[in-house]
Amino acid sequence: DAEITQSPRHKITETGRQVTLACHQTWNHNNMFWYRQDLGHGLRLIHYSYGVQDTNKGEVSDGYSVSRSNTEDLPLTLESAASSQTSVYFCASSENLAGGGTDTQYFGPGTRLTVL
Amino acid sequence: AQSVSQHNHHVILSEAASLELGCNYSYGGTVNLFWYVQYPGQHLQLLLKYFSGDPLVKGIKGFEAEFIKSKFSFNLRKPSVQWSDTAEYFCAVNARTGRRALTFGSGTRLQVQP
């Protein structure tokens, strides 16, 4: 079955360190998204991509970057981790509407990141 | 820009009680509407979605939602909740054209007491 996986599931790091969170989907979806979930805020969009070599900033992109070198993966990098980036991070993917996709997003299991 | 408001942050019900969770969105164009559920310790799962057609949509596990365009609302309902419905519920919206990313409400935590 197609799926979307994230790794690691839990990560503790120190302020100032670079951290990369992996996201891998086997749906062959063009669209991929990164959200962070914080109490009282729901999920907020960090970055998104519509295809290989395409990346776009979301509402809370400061301090984060992504790259899309293939269809399956969209790693999220925290350039210099800060305590304010302690959160749960969710990756999601959806089909390309032009290809008849339904626009439904499928979510990974999440990565809980703690920055000390 | 889109925004989504969920009026109830924490709801406590007894089993067999009826449920209605409010969701209102703000956007000038045509939207797709979603309800996701997050069970404790798990990732988000799609409950139901509205794209077009019948404004009353049925989802999994006996949930339904009604899109009322004039009120910019998409409230979630279930006639009789079960203990297993204890979870956090998120309303989300994206524009029918343009950016595909979702805008989420802040969520409603539902606690069902046996």
Short mmCIF file of all heavy atoms in Angstrom, two decimals, chain B residues 17-54:
data_model
loop_
_atom_site.label_atom_id
_atom_site.label_comp_id
_atom_site.label_asym_id
_atom_site.label_seq_id
_atom_site.Cartn_x
_atom_site.Cartn_y
_atom_site.Cartn_z
N ALA B 17 -24.53 10.95 23.39
CA ALA B 17 -24.94 12.33 23.17
C ALA B 17 -24.71 12.71 21.72
O ALA B 17 -23.88 12.12 21.02
CB ALA B 17 -24.17 13.27 24.10
N SER B 18 -25.40 13.74 21.26
CA SER B 18 -25.20 14.23 19.89
C SER B 18 -24.09 15.27 19.89
O SER B 18 -23.85 15.98 20.87
CB SER B 18 -26.49 14.82 19.35
OG SER B 18 -26.86 15.95 20.11
N LEU B 19 -23.43 15.34 18.75
CA LEU B 19 -22.27 16.21 18.61
C LEU B 19 -22.48 17.19 17.46
O LEU B 19 -22.95 16.80 16.39
CB LEU B 19 -21.02 15.38 18.32
CG LEU B 19 -19.75 16.15 17.91
CD1 LEU B 19 -19.18 16.88 19.11
CD2 LEU B 19 -18.72 15.20 17.31
N GLU B 20 -22.13 18.44 17.70
CA GLU B 20 -22.01 19.40 16.61
C GLU B 20 -20.82 20.30 16.90
O GLU B 20 -20.78 20.96 17.94
CB GLU B 20 -23.26 20.24 16.42
CG GLU B 20 -23.12 21.24 15.26
CD GLU B 20 -24.44 21.73 14.69
OE1 GLU B 20 -25.49 21.37 15.23
OE2 GLU B 20 -24.40 22.48 13.70
N LEU B 21 -19.87 20.31 16.00
CA LEU B 21 -18.68 21.16 16.12
C LEU B 21 -18.75 22.23 15.05
O LEU B 21 -18.93 21.93 13.87
CB LEU B 21 -17.40 20.34 15.96
CG LEU B 21 -17.21 19.20 16.96
CD1 LEU B 21 -15.86 18.52 16.69
CD2 LEU B 21 -17.28 19.69 18.38
N GLY B 22 -18.56 23.47 15.47
CA GLY B 22 -18.69 24.57 14.54
C GLY B 22 -17.40 24.87 13.79
O GLY B 22 -16.30 24.70 14.32
N CYS B 23 -17.56 25.29 12.54
CA CYS B 23 -16.43 25.70 11.72
C CYS B 23 -16.91 26.81 10.79
O CYS B 23 -17.89 26.62 10.05
CB CYS B 23 -15.89 24.53 10.91
SG CYS B 23 -14.64 25.01 9.70
N ASN B 24 -16.23 27.92 10.83
CA ASN B 24 -16.50 29.01 9.88
C ASN B 24 -15.21 29.39 9.19
O ASN B 24 -14.14 29.36 9.79
CB ASN B 24 -17.08 30.23 10.61
CG ASN B 24 -18.52 30.03 11.01
OD1 ASN B 24 -18.80 29.51 12.08
ND2 ASN B 24 -19.43 30.41 10.14
N TYR B 25 -15.32 29.74 7.94
CA TYR B 25 -14.13 30.13 7.20
C TYR B 25 -14.33 31.51 6.60
O TYR B 25 -15.45 32.00 6.45
CB TYR B 25 -13.81 29.10 6.10
CG TYR B 25 -14.82 29.09 4.98
CD1 TYR B 25 -14.63 29.85 3.84
CD2 TYR B 25 -15.98 28.32 5.07
CE1 TYR B 25 -15.55 29.86 2.81
CE2 TYR B 25 -16.91 28.33 4.05
CZ TYR B 25 -16.69 29.10 2.92
OH TYR B 25 -17.62 29.11 1.92
N SER B 26 -13.21 32.11 6.27
CA SER B 26 -13.23 33.42 5.65
C SER B 26 -12.42 33.34 4.37
O SER B 26 -11.22 33.03 4.42
CB SER B 26 -12.62 34.47 6.59
OG SER B 26 -12.49 35.71 5.94
N TYR B 27 -13.09 33.54 3.25
CA TYR B 27 -12.41 33.56 1.95
C TYR B 27 -13.40 34.02 0.92
O TYR B 27 -14.56 33.64 0.95
CB TYR B 27 -11.88 32.17 1.59
CG TYR B 27 -11.14 32.14 0.27
CD1 TYR B 27 -9.92 32.82 0.12
CD2 TYR B 27 -11.66 31.49 -0.84
CE1 TYR B 27 -9.26 32.82 -1.08
CE2 TYR B 27 -11.00 31.48 -2.05
CZ TYR B 27 -9.80 32.15 -2.17
OH TYR B 27 -9.13 32.15 -3.36
N GLY B 28 -12.95 34.84 -0.01
CA GLY B 28 -13.85 35.42 -0.98
C GLY B 28 -14.17 34.54 -2.16
O GLY B 28 -15.12 34.82 -2.89
N GLY B 29 -13.43 33.49 -2.38
CA GLY B 29 -13.63 32.66 -3.56
C GLY B 29 -14.22 31.30 -3.22
O GLY B 29 -14.71 31.07 -2.12
N THR B 30 -14.13 30.39 -4.17
CA THR B 30 -14.67 29.05 -4.00
C THR B 30 -13.66 28.17 -3.28
O THR B 30 -12.47 28.22 -3.59
CB THR B 30 -15.00 28.44 -5.37
OG1 THR B 30 -15.86 29.34 -6.07
CG2 THR B 30 -15.69 27.10 -5.21
N VAL B 31 -14.15 27.39 -2.35
CA VAL B 31 -13.25 26.61 -1.51
C VAL B 31 -13.62 25.14 -1.49
O VAL B 31 -14.74 24.75 -1.81
CB VAL B 31 -13.23 27.13 -0.05
CG1 VAL B 31 -12.70 28.56 0.01
CG2 VAL B 31 -14.62 27.04 0.56
N ASN B 32 -12.64 24.33 -1.12
CA ASN B 32 -12.86 22.94 -0.73
C ASN B 32 -12.79 22.91 0.80
O ASN B 32 -11.99 23.63 1.40
CB ASN B 32 -11.77 22.03 -1.29
CG ASN B 32 -11.71 22.07 -2.80
OD1 ASN B 32 -12.73 22.07 -3.47
ND2 ASN B 32 -10.50 22.12 -3.33
N LEU B 33 -13.59 22.07 1.40
CA LEU B 33 -13.68 22.02 2.86
C LEU B 33 -13.43 20.61 3.36
O LEU B 33 -13.87 19.64 2.74
CB LEU B 33 -15.06 22.49 3.32
CG LEU B 33 -15.36 23.95 2.97
CD1 LEU B 33 -16.84 24.17 2.77
CD2 LEU B 33 -14.84 24.87 4.07
N PHE B 34 -12.75 20.51 4.48
CA PHE B 34 -12.34 19.22 5.02
C PHE B 34 -12.53 19.20 6.54
O PHE B 34 -12.41 20.23 7.21
CB PHE B 34 -10.85 18.97 4.74
CG PHE B 34 -10.44 19.08 3.31
CD1 PHE B 34 -10.18 20.31 2.74
CD2 PHE B 34 -10.29 17.94 2.52
CE1 PHE B 34 -9.79 20.43 1.41
CE2 PHE B 34 -9.90 18.05 1.19
CZ PHE B 34 -9.65 19.28 0.64
N TRP B 35 -12.78 18.01 7.05
CA TRP B 35 -12.64 17.74 8.47
C TRP B 35 -11.65 16.59 8.63
O TRP B 35 -11.81 15.53 8.00
CB TRP B 35 -13.96 17.35 9.13
CG TRP B 35 -14.79 18.53 9.55
CD1 TRP B 35 -15.83 19.10 8.87
CD2 TRP B 35 -14.68 19.26 10.77
NE1 TRP B 35 -16.35 20.15 9.58
CE2 TRP B 35 -15.66 20.27 10.76
CE3 TRP B 35 -13.83 19.16 11.89
CZ2 TRP B 35 -15.83 21.17 11.82
CZ3 TRP B 35 -14.00 20.05 12.93
CH2 TRP B 35 -14.99 21.05 12.89
N TYR B 36 -10.65 16.83 9.47
CA TYR B 36 -9.67 15.80 9.81
C TYR B 36 -9.82 15.47 11.30
O TYR B 36 -10.19 16.32 12.11
CB TYR B 36 -8.25 16.28 9.56
CG TYR B 36 -7.81 16.23 8.11
CD1 TYR B 36 -8.08 17.30 7.25
CD2 TYR B 36 -7.13 15.13 7.60
CE1 TYR B 36 -7.67 17.26 5.92
CE2 TYR B 36 -6.72 15.08 6.28
CZ TYR B 36 -6.99 16.15 5.45
OH TYR B 36 -6.58 16.10 4.12
N VAL B 37 -9.46 14.24 11.64
CA VAL B 37 -9.47 13.81 13.03
C VAL B 37 -8.08 13.30 13.41
O VAL B 37 -7.38 12.71 12.58
CB VAL B 37 -10.53 12.70 13.28
CG1 VAL B 37 -10.25 11.47 12.43
CG2 VAL B 37 -10.61 12.32 14.75
N GLN B 38 -7.69 13.60 14.63
CA GLN B 38 -6.40 13.12 15.15
C GLN B 38 -6.67 12.40 16.46
O GLN B 38 -6.94 13.04 17.49
CB GLN B 38 -5.44 14.29 15.34
CG GLN B 38 -4.04 13.85 15.73
CD GLN B 38 -3.10 15.04 15.86
OE1 GLN B 38 -3.51 16.14 16.20
NE2 GLN B 38 -1.83 14.81 15.59
N TYR B 39 -6.59 11.08 16.43
CA TYR B 39 -6.74 10.30 17.66
C TYR B 39 -5.46 10.41 18.47
O TYR B 39 -4.38 10.67 17.92
CB TYR B 39 -7.07 8.85 17.33
CG TYR B 39 -8.38 8.71 16.61
CD1 TYR B 39 -8.44 8.48 15.24
CD2 TYR B 39 -9.59 8.84 17.30
CE1 TYR B 39 -9.64 8.39 14.58
CE2 TYR B 39 -10.80 8.75 16.64
CZ TYR B 39 -10.82 8.53 15.28
OH TYR B 39 -12.02 8.45 14.63
N PRO B 40 -5.53 10.24 19.77
CA PRO B 40 -4.36 10.42 20.62
C PRO B 40 -3.14 9.67 20.13
O PRO B 40 -3.19 8.44 19.90
CB PRO B 40 -4.85 9.89 21.99
CG PRO B 40 -6.32 10.12 21.96
CD PRO B 40 -6.75 9.89 20.55
N GLY B 41 -2.07 10.39 19.92
CA GLY B 41 -0.82 9.78 19.49
C GLY B 41 -0.75 9.38 18.03
O GLY B 41 0.23 8.76 17.61
N GLN B 42 -1.75 9.73 17.26
CA GLN B 42 -1.78 9.32 15.86
C GLN B 42 -1.73 10.52 14.92
O GLN B 42 -1.82 11.66 15.34
CB GLN B 42 -3.02 8.48 15.58
CG GLN B 42 -3.08 7.18 16.37
CD GLN B 42 -4.21 6.29 15.92
OE1 GLN B 42 -4.68 6.38 14.78
NE2 GLN B 42 -4.66 5.44 16.81
N HIS B 43 -1.58 10.23 13.63
CA HIS B 43 -1.54 11.31 12.66
C HIS B 43 -2.95 11.68 12.21
O HIS B 43 -3.91 11.02 12.57
CB HIS B 43 -0.68 10.90 11.47
CG HIS B 43 -1.20 9.70 10.73
ND1 HIS B 43 -1.06 8.42 11.20
CD2 HIS B 43 -1.85 9.60 9.55
CE1 HIS B 43 -1.59 7.59 10.34
NE2 HIS B 43 -2.08 8.27 9.33
N LEU B 44 -3.05 12.72 11.44
CA LEU B 44 -4.35 13.19 10.98
C LEU B 44 -4.93 12.25 9.94
O LEU B 44 -4.24 11.77 9.04
CB LEU B 44 -4.22 14.59 10.34
CG LEU B 44 -4.24 15.76 11.30
CD1 LEU B 44 -2.89 15.91 11.98
CD2 LEU B 44 -4.60 17.04 10.57
N GLN B 45 -6.23 12.03 10.08
CA GLN B 45 -6.95 11.20 9.12
C GLN B 45 -8.14 11.99 8.60
O GLN B 45 -8.78 12.72 9.35
CB GLN B 45 -7.47 9.93 9.80
CG GLN B 45 -6.41 9.07 10.44
CD GLN B 45 -7.01 7.94 11.24
OE1 GLN B 45 -8.01 7.34 10.83
NE2 GLN B 45 -6.41 7.64 12.38
N LEU B 46 -8.45 11.81 7.34
CA LEU B 46 -9.57 12.51 6.74
C LEU B 46 -10.89 11.89 7.20
O LEU B 46 -11.09 10.70 7.09
CB LEU B 46 -9.47 12.44 5.22
CG LEU B 46 -10.56 13.18 4.45
CD1 LEU B 46 -10.42 14.68 4.65
CD2 LEU B 46 -10.50 12.82 2.97
N LEU B 47 -11.77 12.74 7.73
CA LEU B 47 -13.12 12.31 8.12
C LEU B 47 -14.08 12.46 6.95
O LEU B 47 -14.86 11.55 6.65
CB LEU B 47 -13.64 13.17 9.26
CG LEU B 47 -13.51 12.69 10.69
CD1 LEU B 47 -14.18 13.69 11.62
CD2 LEU B 47 -14.13 11.31 10.87
N LEU B 48 -14.06 13.61 6.34
CA LEU B 48 -14.92 13.88 5.21
C LEU B 48 -14.46 15.15 4.50
O LEU B 48 -13.64 15.90 5.04
CB LEU B 48 -16.39 14.01 5.65
CG LEU B 48 -16.70 14.92 6.84
CD1 LEU B 48 -16.73 16.38 6.47
CD2 LEU B 48 -18.05 14.53 7.47
N LYS B 49 -15.02 15.35 3.30
CA LYS B 49 -14.61 16.51 2.51
C LYS B 49 -15.78 16.97 1.65
O LYS B 49 -16.66 16.18 1.31
CB LYS B 49 -13.43 16.15 1.62
CG LYS B 49 -13.72 15.00 0.65
CD LYS B 49 -12.47 14.51 -0.02
CE LYS B 49 -12.80 13.31 -0.93
NZ LYS B 49 -11.57 12.69 -1.48
N TYR B 50 -15.78 18.25 1.34
CA TYR B 50 -16.76 18.80 0.42
C TYR B 50 -16.02 19.52 -0.70
O TYR B 50 -15.23 20.43 -0.44
CB TYR B 50 -17.69 19.78 1.13
CG TYR B 50 -18.60 20.49 0.16
CD1 TYR B 50 -19.73 19.85 -0.35
CD2 TYR B 50 -18.31 21.77 -0.31
CE1 TYR B 50 -20.55 20.48 -1.28
CE2 TYR B 50 -19.11 22.40 -1.23
CZ TYR B 50 -20.23 21.75 -1.71
OH TYR B 50 -21.03 22.36 -2.64
N PHE B 51 -16.34 19.14 -1.94
CA PHE B 51 -15.78 19.83 -3.10
C PHE B 51 -16.89 20.54 -3.86
O PHE B 51 -16.75 21.69 -4.26
CB PHE B 51 -15.07 18.84 -4.03
CG PHE B 51 -13.78 18.30 -3.47
CD1 PHE B 51 -13.23 17.13 -3.97
CD2 PHE B 51 -13.10 18.94 -2.45
CE1 PHE B 51 -12.04 16.62 -3.46
CE2 PHE B 51 -11.92 18.45 -1.93
CZ PHE B 51 -11.39 17.28 -2.45
N SER B 52 -17.99 19.83 -4.09
CA SER B 52 -19.10 20.42 -4.84
C SER B 52 -20.30 19.50 -4.69
O SER B 52 -20.21 18.41 -4.12
CB SER B 52 -18.74 20.60 -6.32
OG SER B 52 -18.50 19.35 -6.92
N GLY B 53 -21.46 19.95 -5.20
CA GLY B 53 -22.65 19.10 -5.20
C GLY B 53 -23.43 19.20 -3.91
O GLY B 53 -23.54 20.27 -3.31
N ASP B 54 -23.97 18.09 -3.46
CA ASP B 54 -24.81 18.04 -2.26
C ASP B 54 -24.06 18.63 -1.07
O ASP B 54 -22.98 18.16 -0.72
CB ASP B 54 -25.19 16.59 -1.97
CG ASP B 54 -26.23 16.46 -0.86
OD1 ASP B 54 -26.45 17.44 -0.11
OD2 ASP B 54 -26.80 15.37 -0.73
#
